Amino acid sequence: MGQDTPAYILAALTAGGGITGYIRTGSIPSIAAGCTVGALYGLGAYRIQQRQSYGVELALLASVILAGSSIPRAIRTQKPLPAGLSLLALFGLWTFGNAYRLGYKVKST
């Protein structure tokens, strides 16, 4: 499994979660944040798949944004939804942080 697959999965989960939050509660911030983070993951995945630069960095940025918004809320509220988002963020931080740390390189074709 390449680095693009987890990014596509995270893109679908975060964007889908934002849309679901909007449908269930009418929350504009949910759809805006979910679709924005999902778009960052999706763009990162596309760039990784096409072997373009800054794909891993975009996915890592999306993970940092998601973690920065969900982890404090999960600690404060102790609710399952922020905790689940925090787990997604931690998975992204681990996956794309390791790829960045190990020097994921774009191969020239």
Side-chain angles (χ1 to χ4, degrees):
M1 176 168 63
Q3 294 294 323
D4 59 329
T5 304
Y8 278 127
I9 292 169
L10 288 169
L13 288 173
T14 54
I19 293 167
T20 302
Y22 175 74
I23 290 170
R24 291 179 69 199
T25 64
S27 172
I28 300 292
S30 288
I31 196 167
C35 289
T36 301
V37 171
L40 284 173
Y41 276 127
L43 181 60
Y46 177 77
R47 293 186 69 84
I48 292 167
Q49 185 179 34
Q50 298 300 314
R51 305 210 184 282
Q52 297 174 350
S53 58
Y54 300 112
V56 170
E57 290 85 352
L58 280 170
L60 184 57
L61 174 64
S63 298
V64 168
I65 292 169
L66 184 59
S69 66
S70 65
I71 291 174
R73 194 169 66 228
I75 293 169
R76 187 176 62 250
T77 65
Q78 301 289 310
K79 291 186 177 179
L81 182 63
L85 288 172
S86 298
L87 289 176
L88 288 178
L90 290 173
F91 173 74
L93 288 170
W94 179 75
T95 301
F96 303 113
N98 274 337
Y100 182 78
R101 181 181 61 88
L102 295 173
Y104 180 83
K105 301 291 183 202
V106 175
K107 295 179 182 166
S108 305
T109 54

